[in-house]
Amino acid sequence: MQSVPATPDGLTLKRGTSSPRRLQDNLTIFLFLLPAIILFLVFVVYPIFQSIYYSLFNWKGFGPAVDFVGLENFKKILTDKVFLKALKNGLLIIVFSLAFQLPLSLGLAVLVGRDLPGRVFFRTVFFMPYVLSEVITALMWLFILNPDPERGFINAIAVFFGGDAQLWLANPDIVMGSIFVALTWKYFGFHMLLYLTGLQNIPQEIEEAGRI
């Protein structure tokens, strides 16, 4: 009596051809990703390392970098008033974002996540500013905050109600608030969408238990 092989010929053939097929698929994926990888290396990774290299020289931006100073530039920048002011402003924006922008996004996510009429419309309206490019957003807010009441929307309203026109982007006392309002308008819709996605993944049983 002839014995039957434990492994069918078709399965053996399939296993034998799976490795070259997988290698071909990986090669195809790599070839499709290669242009993006090259662009990333040339325009992101290479400039980063080039900036680190030039930061070790006393270089004016033209010609070869030959005056090596080591970490002297980093020591100077830590005592530069302009840099320290910019660092302080950046930290203030982060603190304001954590204290106001994220709670606002969470509150709106809770509101538009409920079964309210027009919730799809409000989701779209709140998320639309994030879709706009940074250039368009900057130009739009430059017009809104224009110091000329005949051109600036905010100053036009202030003058209409008997107030005074303000230098929203030139007055050191209010410029940070003006920038933060523009940043909040731009990005709160994105944070709202993230919160909304997380809230929708919460099981209904947990919400009902929380109400009890």
Side-chain angles (χ1 to χ4, degrees):
M1 183 176 180
Q2 186 176 2
S3 60
V4 180
T7 305
D9 295 339
L11 183 59
T12 304
L13 181 60
K14 184 177 180 180
R15 289 180 178 176
T17 57
S18 61
S19 181
R21 179 61 182 273
R22 182 178 301 177
L23 180 61
Q24 183 179 0
D25 292 341
N26 293 336
L27 181 61
T28 303
I29 295 173
F30 175 76
L31 290 177
F32 276 107
L33 292 176
L34 185 60
I37 294 175
I38 294 176
L39 291 176
F40 179 77
L41 292 175
V42 172
F43 292 103
V44 177
V45 177
Y46 174 71
I48 291 176
F49 285 98
Q50 188 180 41
S51 299
I52 296 175
Y53 172 77
Y54 285 134
S55 68
L56 303 176
F57 290 84
N58 183 16
W59 186 56
K60 303 298 183 181
F62 297 97
V66 294
D67 187 9
F68 181 79
V69 294
L71 300 178
E72 193 65 28
N73 290 327
F74 295 95
K75 295 178 182 178
K76 290 181 179 179
I77 201 173
L78 292 177
T79 58
D80 186 78
K81 294 182 179 180
V82 176
F83 173 78
L84 294 178
K85 183 67 175 179
L87 183 62
K88 176 184 175 182
N89 293 338
L91 293 176
L92 286 176
I93 291 295
I94 294 175
V95 173
F96 289 159
S97 298
L98 294 176
F100 300 103
Q101 188 179 122
L102 297 184
L104 173 64
S105 303
L106 178 59
L108 291 176
V110 173
L111 291 177
V112 300
R114 298 179 180 271
D115 294 331
L116 298 176
R119 63 183 183 276
V120 177
F121 169 76
F122 287 108
R123 290 178 187 176
T124 304
V125 171
F126 291 150
F127 185 71
M128 192 174 297
Y130 181 73
V131 180
L132 300 177
S133 68
E134 280 73 8
V135 175
I136 295 177
T137 303
L139 291 175
M140 184 183 68
W141 278 96
L142 282 176
F143 284 113
I144 293 176
L145 301 176
N146 194 300
D148 188 353
E150 297 182 359
R151 298 181 179 181
F153 178 73
I154 302 298
N155 280 333
I157 295 178
V159 171
F160 179 79
F161 286 101
D164 298 328
Q166 300 292 331
L167 300 175
W168 299 103
L169 298 177
N171 187 345
D173 297 329
I174 59 176
V175 63
M176 287 297 297
S178 303
I179 294 176
F180 178 71
V181 169
L183 289 175
T184 301
W185 179 86
K186 168 68 176 174
Y187 293 106
F188 84 96
F190 174 72
H191 300 304
M192 182 200 70
L193 183 64
L194 294 180
Y195 282 128
L196 185 61
T197 304
L199 292 173
Q200 290 177 345
N201 291 328
I202 297 177
Q204 189 70 24
E205 295 79 7
I206 297 180
E207 293 186 5
E208 294 176 355
R211 294 190 184 99
I212 297 175

